[in-house]
Amino acid sequence: MVFTANDLSKWESFPKGLRVLLLDSAAETRSKLESMDYIVTTFSDESEALSAVVKSPESFHIAIVEVNTSAEDESFKYLEAAKGLLPTIMISDDHCIATTMKCIALGAVEFLQKPLSPEKLKNIWQHVVHKAFNDGGASVSESLKPVKDSVVSMINIDTNMTIDEKDPAPSTPQLRQVSRLLDQENRNCSVENVNSPTEKENTEDHDIGESKSVDTTNHEDNVIVKEENGDGEKEEEQGQTEEHKQEEGETGDSVNFNKKEDETNKPINKSSGNKNLSSNKASRKKVDWTQELHKKFVQAVEQLGVDQAIPSRILELMKVDGLTRHNVASHLQKFRMHRRNILPKDDHNHRWIQSRENHRQIQRQYNGFQQQHRPVMAYPVWGLPGVHPPGAVPPLWPPALPSAGQLPPWHFKPPYPTLNGNTWGYPVGPPVTGTFFPPPITGTFSTHPANQLDEEMIDQVVKEVISKPGMPLPLGLKPPSPESVLTELSRQDISAVPSSSASCQINGSPRLR
DNA sequence: TAACGAATAT
DNA sequence: TATATTCGTT
């Protein structure tokens, strides 16, 4: 079909002049449509209308068909046959929802109840626009091209958007909004991708290899990188920094480490894509030291021995994909600091700890424990009494059981509500759940400031421990409940133990296995 | 030079 | 506060 230049240019008065195929006996409908400046062609017979549509679909933009109450099936036949050619609006006096549904199900773009009002009719053009933009991409029928062009020009004015054939624009304001947002997002993405390599170059020197290895795909234990505020990003030199730093926005992201095996629920990947992975960008990767991850960390430290535990070795043992030595070093630093808070470096405490360890080993032999696979762990228990230097402030971390939400991710959640346990101090044995937990560290321990014990007492404790290796450490702990003792004993395949020594074992070596 | 670890920055 | 980054030291 040949169109004049005028045809192909903007349809200034759109939707006036919309060509409507009307299949309705009532003259009233026609006049209403014409009053809205639509060009109406009326048919009284379905087959007639259908043949007209089939013959030259370009002659119409939209069809309005009344449901033939005396012969519904005829209407539906027409609808089915013509829906692909023209957007078809069904109209009826029938207010039955079933009729409406049937019409829509059969392909009607809308169902309007009679009587038709200008309100109802004024928006029918939307279906035409929808078809123009959503049907067949570039192969829009000739009659719809002017519609499309017209709408495109209007959208361009409003939104300054570029619309091309490959990316059909939505026809409603709402969709345009969505489209605009998507468009912006895409633009951001591409900017990011463009910048990424450059920024990488700039920052590469420090963590070569390591930072590049961050990979959040599902490896063994992998990392989900959340990106920190770009502000943290170090630019090349102090000179030209501040400019685009803000651009990063506040995507307070961090890194999560997931076990690949079973953790089906991975709520973390909020980035809805691999943006974080692929474009490591100039953002700093923040490791989320979840309980799980920290546990691995402690196990590695445990395995190496606290003195031999260095970042690189810990990293090796942890086998967590994406974790860097720097991450580990940082965490180790914190770990040590917390230990130090509990374990002042004066001789008394060293001796005390050492003696605890000795005691534990001796006790293990004594009890015939065969757990050589489990390395020795000399980490102190949080808040252990007597380990603070006189006058020292007891450790403030972790905070004295604040609301759970404030706890660190790995915060140990003991089965005993009063137990303020924490994995920082504990050796992290594999079976954390459903087995044995240290006796509730309540009462004297948690309510009395640790620094009540002075050095003299510590010395005394040390001597006592050394001299009586078989005896429990005077930790000031309450004895465990009989249940927990029995549970633990049975877990260790110890069937019968003198009742006195049972509590000694547990008391003397909480969490030490 | 790479790794460590304390200090410092974010 | 937690974690990252820097920087002097080994």
PDB file of all heavy atoms in Angstrom, chain A residues 234 284-285 287 330 334 397, chain C residues 1-7:
ATOM      1  N   LYS A 234      39.859   3.551  46.599  1.00  0.00           N
ATOM      2  CA  LYS A 234      41.059   4.357  46.475  1.00  0.00           C
ATOM      3  C   LYS A 234      41.279   4.691  45.023  1.00  0.00           C
ATOM      4  O   LYS A 234      41.332   3.827  44.178  1.00  0.00           O
ATOM      5  CB  LYS A 234      42.250   3.577  46.998  1.00  0.00           C
ATOM      6  CG  LYS A 234      42.411   2.276  46.250  1.00  0.00           C
ATOM      7  CD  LYS A 234      43.521   1.461  46.803  1.00  0.00           C
ATOM      8  CE  LYS A 234      43.499   0.082  46.174  1.00  0.00           C
ATOM      9  NZ  LYS A 234      44.046  -0.916  47.022  1.00  0.00           N
ATOM     10  N   ARG A 284      34.866  -1.886  46.850  1.00  0.00           N
ATOM     11  CA  ARG A 284      35.627  -2.771  47.694  1.00  0.00           C
ATOM     12  C   ARG A 284      34.739  -3.922  48.100  1.00  0.00           C
ATOM     13  O   ARG A 284      33.567  -3.762  48.404  1.00  0.00           O
ATOM     14  CB  ARG A 284      36.169  -2.006  48.874  1.00  0.00           C
ATOM     15  CG  ARG A 284      35.425  -2.182  50.144  1.00  0.00           C
ATOM     16  CD  ARG A 284      36.140  -1.475  51.249  1.00  0.00           C
ATOM     17  NE  ARG A 284      35.299  -1.507  52.438  1.00  0.00           N
ATOM     18  CZ  ARG A 284      35.191  -0.506  53.265  1.00  0.00           C
ATOM     19  NH1 ARG A 284      35.832   0.597  53.019  1.00  0.00           N
ATOM     20  NH2 ARG A 284      34.429  -0.598  54.324  1.00  0.00           N
ATOM     21  N   LYS A 285      35.297  -5.061  48.090  1.00  0.00           N
ATOM     22  CA  LYS A 285      34.553  -6.251  48.396  1.00  0.00           C
ATOM     23  C   LYS A 285      34.564  -6.462  49.904  1.00  0.00           C
ATOM     24  O   LYS A 285      35.596  -6.494  50.531  1.00  0.00           O
ATOM     25  CB  LYS A 285      35.166  -7.455  47.698  1.00  0.00           C
ATOM     26  CG  LYS A 285      34.724  -7.620  46.300  1.00  0.00           C
ATOM     27  CD  LYS A 285      35.637  -7.065  45.233  1.00  0.00           C
ATOM     28  CE  LYS A 285      37.092  -7.022  45.505  1.00  0.00           C
ATOM     29  NZ  LYS A 285      37.783  -6.128  44.585  1.00  0.00           N
ATOM     30  N   VAL A 287      33.685  -8.767  52.988  1.00  0.00           N
ATOM     31  CA  VAL A 287      33.386 -10.136  53.358  1.00  0.00           C
ATOM     32  C   VAL A 287      32.393 -10.155  54.502  1.00  0.00           C
ATOM     33  O   VAL A 287      32.548  -9.432  55.477  1.00  0.00           O
ATOM     34  CB  VAL A 287      34.659 -10.871  53.775  1.00  0.00           C
ATOM     35  CG1 VAL A 287      34.324 -12.213  54.364  1.00  0.00           C
ATOM     36  CG2 VAL A 287      35.592 -11.007  52.611  1.00  0.00           C
ATOM     37  N   SER A 330      42.734  -9.599  58.000  1.00  0.00           N
ATOM     38  CA  SER A 330      41.926  -8.636  58.725  1.00  0.00           C
ATOM     39  C   SER A 330      41.112  -9.315  59.817  1.00  0.00           C
ATOM     40  O   SER A 330      41.031  -8.840  60.953  1.00  0.00           O
ATOM     41  CB  SER A 330      40.990  -7.923  57.745  1.00  0.00           C
ATOM     42  OG  SER A 330      40.193  -6.994  58.408  1.00  0.00           O
ATOM     43  N   LYS A 334      41.365  -9.107  64.033  1.00  0.00           N
ATOM     44  CA  LYS A 334      40.281  -8.903  64.971  1.00  0.00           C
ATOM     45  C   LYS A 334      40.202 -10.058  65.955  1.00  0.00           C
ATOM     46  O   LYS A 334      40.018  -9.862  67.159  1.00  0.00           O
ATOM     47  CB  LYS A 334      38.958  -8.780  64.207  1.00  0.00           C
ATOM     48  CG  LYS A 334      37.815  -8.390  65.109  1.00  0.00           C
ATOM     49  CD  LYS A 334      36.550  -8.135  64.317  1.00  0.00           C
ATOM     50  CE  LYS A 334      35.929  -9.438  63.874  1.00  0.00           C
ATOM     51  NZ  LYS A 334      34.571  -9.242  63.337  1.00  0.00           N
ATOM     52  N   TRP A 397      33.296  -6.776  74.221  1.00  0.00           N
ATOM     53  CA  TRP A 397      32.777  -7.427  73.024  1.00  0.00           C
ATOM     54  C   TRP A 397      32.769  -8.916  73.239  1.00  0.00           C
ATOM     55  O   TRP A 397      33.729  -9.456  73.710  1.00  0.00           O
ATOM     56  CB  TRP A 397      33.653  -7.079  71.837  1.00  0.00           C
ATOM     57  CG  TRP A 397      32.980  -7.362  70.552  1.00  0.00           C
ATOM     58  CD1 TRP A 397      32.265  -6.511  69.785  1.00  0.00           C
ATOM     59  CD2 TRP A 397      32.952  -8.609  69.891  1.00  0.00           C
ATOM     60  NE1 TRP A 397      31.796  -7.146  68.697  1.00  0.00           N
ATOM     61  CE2 TRP A 397      32.193  -8.428  68.722  1.00  0.00           C
ATOM     62  CE3 TRP A 397      33.462  -9.893  70.152  1.00  0.00           C
ATOM     63  CZ2 TRP A 397      31.949  -9.456  67.822  1.00  0.00           C
ATOM     64  CZ3 TRP A 397      33.221 -10.904  69.262  1.00  0.00           C
ATOM     65  CH2 TRP A 397      32.480 -10.676  68.104  1.00  0.00           C
TER      66      TRP A 397
ATOM     67  P    DT C   1      32.431  -0.520  69.629  1.00  0.00           P
ATOM     68  OP1  DT C   1      32.111  -1.326  70.790  1.00  0.00           O
ATOM     69  OP2  DT C   1      33.798  -0.048  69.379  1.00  0.00           O
ATOM     70  O5'  DT C   1      31.976  -1.335  68.331  1.00  0.00           O
ATOM     71  C5'  DT C   1      30.628  -1.762  68.213  1.00  0.00           C
ATOM     72  C4'  DT C   1      30.510  -2.494  66.894  1.00  0.00           C
ATOM     73  O4'  DT C   1      30.620  -1.537  65.821  1.00  0.00           O
ATOM     74  C3'  DT C   1      31.631  -3.510  66.681  1.00  0.00           C
ATOM     75  O3'  DT C   1      31.069  -4.684  66.145  1.00  0.00           O
ATOM     76  C2'  DT C   1      32.554  -2.839  65.688  1.00  0.00           C
ATOM     77  C1'  DT C   1      31.620  -1.943  64.912  1.00  0.00           C
ATOM     78  N1   DT C   1      32.263  -0.695  64.414  1.00  0.00           N
ATOM     79  C2   DT C   1      32.093  -0.338  63.110  1.00  0.00           C
ATOM     80  O2   DT C   1      31.438  -1.006  62.327  1.00  0.00           O
ATOM     81  N3   DT C   1      32.720   0.834  62.755  1.00  0.00           N
ATOM     82  C4   DT C   1      33.472   1.657  63.555  1.00  0.00           C
ATOM     83  O4   DT C   1      33.975   2.672  63.107  1.00  0.00           O
ATOM     84  C5   DT C   1      33.621   1.230  64.917  1.00  0.00           C
ATOM     85  C7   DT C   1      34.413   2.033  65.883  1.00  0.00           C
ATOM     86  C6   DT C   1      33.019   0.096  65.281  1.00  0.00           C
ATOM     87  P    DA C   2      32.070  -5.903  65.956  1.00  0.00           P
ATOM     88  OP1  DA C   2      31.331  -7.115  66.325  1.00  0.00           O
ATOM     89  OP2  DA C   2      33.396  -5.627  66.541  1.00  0.00           O
ATOM     90  O5'  DA C   2      32.212  -5.877  64.369  1.00  0.00           O
ATOM     91  C5'  DA C   2      31.047  -5.800  63.569  1.00  0.00           C
ATOM     92  C4'  DA C   2      31.449  -5.807  62.111  1.00  0.00           C
ATOM     93  O4'  DA C   2      31.992  -4.531  61.757  1.00  0.00           O
ATOM     94  C3'  DA C   2      32.520  -6.845  61.759  1.00  0.00           C
ATOM     95  O3'  DA C   2      32.204  -7.375  60.488  1.00  0.00           O
ATOM     96  C2'  DA C   2      33.805  -6.037  61.740  1.00  0.00           C
ATOM     97  C1'  DA C   2      33.310  -4.678  61.257  1.00  0.00           C
ATOM     98  N9   DA C   2      34.077  -3.539  61.750  1.00  0.00           N
ATOM     99  C8   DA C   2      34.599  -3.375  62.999  1.00  0.00           C
ATOM    100  N7   DA C   2      35.228  -2.236  63.164  1.00  0.00           N
ATOM    101  C5   DA C   2      35.106  -1.621  61.932  1.00  0.00           C
ATOM    102  C6   DA C   2      35.561  -0.386  61.445  1.00  0.00           C
ATOM    103  N6   DA C   2      36.254   0.481  62.176  1.00  0.00           N
ATOM    104  N1   DA C   2      35.267  -0.073  60.166  1.00  0.00           N
ATOM    105  C2   DA C   2      34.564  -0.936  59.436  1.00  0.00           C
ATOM    106  N3   DA C   2      34.084  -2.119  59.780  1.00  0.00           N
ATOM    107  C4   DA C   2      34.395  -2.406  61.053  1.00  0.00           C
ATOM    108  P    DT C   3      32.989  -8.623  59.989  1.00  0.00           P
ATOM    109  OP1  DT C   3      32.026  -9.484  59.297  1.00  0.00           O
ATOM    110  OP2  DT C   3      33.860  -9.158  61.049  1.00  0.00           O
ATOM    111  O5'  DT C   3      33.910  -7.940  58.884  1.00  0.00           O
ATOM    112  C5'  DT C   3      33.282  -7.205  57.834  1.00  0.00           C
ATOM    113  C4'  DT C   3      34.286  -6.314  57.168  1.00  0.00           C
ATOM    114  O4'  DT C   3      34.776  -5.331  58.089  1.00  0.00           O
ATOM    115  C3'  DT C   3      35.525  -7.030  56.630  1.00  0.00           C
ATOM    116  O3'  DT C   3      35.449  -7.012  55.209  1.00  0.00           O
ATOM    117  C2'  DT C   3      36.703  -6.208  57.171  1.00  0.00           C
ATOM    118  C1'  DT C   3      36.028  -4.922  57.631  1.00  0.00           C
ATOM    119  N1   DT C   3      36.707  -4.213  58.743  1.00  0.00           N
ATOM    120  C2   DT C   3      37.136  -2.917  58.542  1.00  0.00           C
ATOM    121  O2   DT C   3      36.992  -2.332  57.490  1.00  0.00           O
ATOM    122  N3   DT C   3      37.743  -2.348  59.626  1.00  0.00           N
ATOM    123  C4   DT C   3      37.963  -2.913  60.862  1.00  0.00           C
ATOM    124  O4   DT C   3      38.526  -2.298  61.756  1.00  0.00           O
ATOM    125  C5   DT C   3      37.491  -4.271  61.003  1.00  0.00           C
ATOM    126  C7   DT C   3      37.665  -4.997  62.299  1.00  0.00           C
ATOM    127  C6   DT C   3      36.884  -4.855  59.951  1.00  0.00           C
ATOM    128  P    DA C   4      36.660  -7.370  54.291  1.00  0.00           P
ATOM    129  OP1  DA C   4      36.100  -7.854  53.033  1.00  0.00           O
ATOM    130  OP2  DA C   4      37.625  -8.194  55.044  1.00  0.00           O
ATOM    131  O5'  DA C   4      37.326  -5.946  54.026  1.00  0.00           O
ATOM    132  C5'  DA C   4      36.505  -4.904  53.515  1.00  0.00           C
ATOM    133  C4'  DA C   4      37.354  -3.712  53.103  1.00  0.00           C
ATOM    134  O4'  DA C   4      37.869  -3.035  54.268  1.00  0.00           O
ATOM    135  C3'  DA C   4      38.562  -4.047  52.240  1.00  0.00           C
ATOM    136  O3'  DA C   4      38.719  -3.010  51.285  1.00  0.00           O
ATOM    137  C2'  DA C   4      39.714  -4.073  53.241  1.00  0.00           C
ATOM    138  C1'  DA C   4      39.275  -3.026  54.261  1.00  0.00           C
ATOM    139  N9   DA C   4      39.692  -3.299  55.635  1.00  0.00           N
ATOM    140  C8   DA C   4      39.452  -4.430  56.355  1.00  0.00           C
ATOM    141  N7   DA C   4      39.924  -4.399  57.584  1.00  0.00           N
ATOM    142  C5   DA C   4      40.523  -3.147  57.672  1.00  0.00           C
ATOM    143  C6   DA C   4      41.205  -2.496  58.716  1.00  0.00           C
ATOM    144  N6   DA C   4      41.407  -3.046  59.909  1.00  0.00           N
ATOM    145  N1   DA C   4      41.681  -1.249  58.476  1.00  0.00           N
ATOM    146  C2   DA C   4      41.470  -0.709  57.267  1.00  0.00           C
ATOM    147  N3   DA C   4      40.841  -1.218  56.216  1.00  0.00           N
ATOM    148  C4   DA C   4      40.379  -2.453  56.488  1.00  0.00           C
ATOM    149  P    DT C   5      39.820  -3.095  50.190  1.00  0.00           P
ATOM    150  OP1  DT C   5      39.285  -2.427  48.992  1.00  0.00           O
ATOM    151  OP2  DT C   5      40.348  -4.469  50.125  1.00  0.00           O
ATOM    152  O5'  DT C   5      40.937  -2.155  50.818  1.00  0.00           O
ATOM    153  C5'  DT C   5      40.570  -0.850  51.227  1.00  0.00           C
ATOM    154  C4'  DT C   5      41.776  -0.135  51.792  1.00  0.00           C
ATOM    155  O4'  DT C   5      42.047  -0.587  53.128  1.00  0.00           O
ATOM    156  C3'  DT C   5      43.063  -0.359  50.986  1.00  0.00           C
ATOM    157  O3'  DT C   5      43.607   0.918  50.705  1.00  0.00           O
ATOM    158  C2'  DT C   5      43.943  -1.178  51.916  1.00  0.00           C
ATOM    159  C1'  DT C   5      43.430  -0.764  53.287  1.00  0.00           C
ATOM    160  N1   DT C   5      43.585  -1.761  54.390  1.00  0.00           N
ATOM    161  C2   DT C   5      44.179  -1.365  55.570  1.00  0.00           C
ATOM    162  O2   DT C   5      44.600  -0.237  55.746  1.00  0.00           O
ATOM    163  N3   DT C   5      44.247  -2.334  56.527  1.00  0.00           N
ATOM    164  C4   DT C   5      43.796  -3.632  56.426  1.00  0.00           C
ATOM    165  O4   DT C   5      43.910  -4.414  57.364  1.00  0.00           O
ATOM    166  C5   DT C   5      43.186  -3.990  55.177  1.00  0.00           C
ATOM    167  C7   DT C   5      42.667  -5.373  54.974  1.00  0.00           C
ATOM    168  C6   DT C   5      43.110  -3.051  54.226  1.00  0.00           C
ATOM    169  P    DT C   6      44.958   1.077  49.936  1.00  0.00           P
ATOM    170  OP1  DT C   6      44.836   2.259  49.075  1.00  0.00           O
ATOM    171  OP2  DT C   6      45.388  -0.234  49.391  1.00  0.00           O
ATOM    172  O5'  DT C   6      45.917   1.463  51.152  1.00  0.00           O
ATOM    173  C5'  DT C   6      45.479   2.455  52.065  1.00  0.00           C
ATOM    174  C4'  DT C   6      46.553   2.705  53.112  1.00  0.00           C
ATOM    175  O4'  DT C   6      46.544   1.630  54.086  1.00  0.00           O
ATOM    176  C3'  DT C   6      47.981   2.772  52.564  1.00  0.00           C
ATOM    177  O3'  DT C   6      48.631   3.846  53.216  1.00  0.00           O
ATOM    178  C2'  DT C   6      48.575   1.424  52.944  1.00  0.00           C
ATOM    179  C1'  DT C   6      47.855   1.130  54.255  1.00  0.00           C
ATOM    180  N1   DT C   6      47.690  -0.293  54.643  1.00  0.00           N
ATOM    181  C2   DT C   6      47.986  -0.669  55.923  1.00  0.00           C
ATOM    182  O2   DT C   6      48.399   0.095  56.766  1.00  0.00           O
ATOM    183  N3   DT C   6      47.772  -1.998  56.185  1.00  0.00           N
ATOM    184  C4   DT C   6      47.303  -2.961  55.314  1.00  0.00           C
ATOM    185  O4   DT C   6      47.149  -4.119  55.679  1.00  0.00           O
ATOM    186  C5   DT C   6      47.007  -2.501  53.986  1.00  0.00           C
ATOM    187  C7   DT C   6      46.494  -3.460  52.967  1.00  0.00           C
ATOM    188  C6   DT C   6      47.214  -1.199  53.707  1.00  0.00           C
ATOM    189  P    DC C   7      49.966   4.389  52.638  1.00  0.00           P
ATOM    190  OP1  DC C   7      49.955   5.846  52.839  1.00  0.00           O
ATOM    191  OP2  DC C   7      50.231   3.807  51.312  1.00  0.00           O
ATOM    192  O5'  DC C   7      51.011   3.757  53.668  1.00  0.00           O
ATOM    193  C5'  DC C   7      50.788   3.924  55.054  1.00  0.00           C
ATOM    194  C4'  DC C   7      51.784   3.082  55.845  1.00  0.00           C
ATOM    195  O4'  DC C   7      51.300   1.719  55.913  1.00  0.00           O
ATOM    196  C3'  DC C   7      53.163   3.015  55.199  1.00  0.00           C
ATOM    197  O3'  DC C   7      54.138   3.067  56.224  1.00  0.00           O
ATOM    198  C2'  DC C   7      53.174   1.644  54.540  1.00  0.00           C
ATOM    199  C1'  DC C   7      52.351   0.855  55.539  1.00  0.00           C
ATOM    200  N1   DC C   7      51.745  -0.383  55.040  1.00  0.00           N
ATOM    201  C2   DC C   7      51.524  -1.442  55.927  1.00  0.00           C
ATOM    202  O2   DC C   7      51.841  -1.308  57.112  1.00  0.00           O
ATOM    203  N3   DC C   7      50.978  -2.581  55.456  1.00  0.00           N
ATOM    204  C4   DC C   7      50.639  -2.694  54.172  1.00  0.00           C
ATOM    205  N4   DC C   7      50.101  -3.843  53.760  1.00  0.00           N
ATOM    206  C5   DC C   7      50.853  -1.626  53.249  1.00  0.00           C
ATOM    207  C6   DC C   7      51.398  -0.505  53.722  1.00  0.00           C
TER     208       DC C   7
END
